[in-house]
């Protein structure tokens, strides 16, 4: 996917939990056009049925929200809370994974998404 196309779409994140129910990942974003540009590094940590989104560095403004989560190896999700507030979203579950759509998580700030 090109940077221009990426800027037009909401973000989707696939979390592939290991046998201990944990996963980690990073995201680097910049304008994709200039060499000396603002950027943003994000860290994603999934453990204890929560996804932590932390700002590692940078000031680049990410314009699109995180709208969809696919949780591989995670089941039994009935409710989703974003920073302690119950999210209005759709949850689709199978025996081995959960898909959550309709979210609007701002990737420019630290967040905790909890799955109950």
């Amino acid at each position: 996917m090109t940077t221009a196309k990426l800027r037009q779409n909401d973000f989707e994140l696939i979390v592939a939990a290991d046998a201990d129910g944990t996963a980690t990942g990073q995201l680097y974003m910049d304008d994709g056009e200039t060499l000396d540009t603002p950027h943003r590094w994000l860290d994603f940590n999934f453990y204890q049925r929560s996804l932590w989104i932390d700002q590692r560095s940078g000031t680049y403004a990410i314009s699109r929200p995180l709208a969809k989560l696919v949780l591989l190896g995670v089941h039994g999700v009935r409710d989703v809370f974003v920073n302690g507030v119950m999210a209005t979203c759709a949850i689709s579950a199978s025996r081995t994974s959960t898909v959550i759509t309709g979210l609007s998580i701002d990737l420019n700030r630290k967040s905790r998404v909890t799955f109950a």
Side-chain angles (χ1 to χ4, degrees):
M1 177 178 290
T2 66
T3 303
K5 180 74 171 165
L6 178 66
R7 285 193 208 116
Q8 298 171 5
N9 296 307
D10 293 345
F11 282 90
E12 301 177 6
L13 181 67
I14 299 172
V15 177
D18 63 15
D20 294 327
T22 65
T24 62
Q26 295 83 35
L27 172 67
Y28 175 87
M29 286 284 300
D30 64 17
D31 72 4
E33 297 172 6
T34 58
L35 294 177
D36 188 21
T37 182
H39 71 279
R40 186 173 300 270
W41 266 108
L42 302 177
D43 290 319
F44 298 93
N45 293 288
F46 180 81
Y47 59 95
Q48 297 178 346
R49 294 181 70 90
S50 289
L51 174 66
W52 299 84
I53 303 169
D54 293 308
Q55 310 297 312
R56 182 188 302 183
S57 67
T59 60
Y60 178 76
I62 299 173
S63 62
R64 305 301 301 178
L66 175 59
K68 179 179 178 181
L69 289 169
V70 178
L71 306 176
L72 303 177
V74 178
H75 58 303
V77 175
R78 295 175 316 281
D79 295 307
V80 178
F81 297 85
V82 178
N83 298 321
V85 177
M86 184 179 282
T88 301
C89 59
I91 301 170
S92 174
S94 72
R95 189 174 57 82
T96 59
S97 66
T98 302
V99 178
I100 302 160
T101 57
L103 296 167
S104 186
I105 299 170
D106 183 354
L107 291 173
N108 295 296
R109 53 175 267 177
K110 182 176 181 175
S111 295
R112 179 182 179 192
V113 186
T114 304
F115 309 96

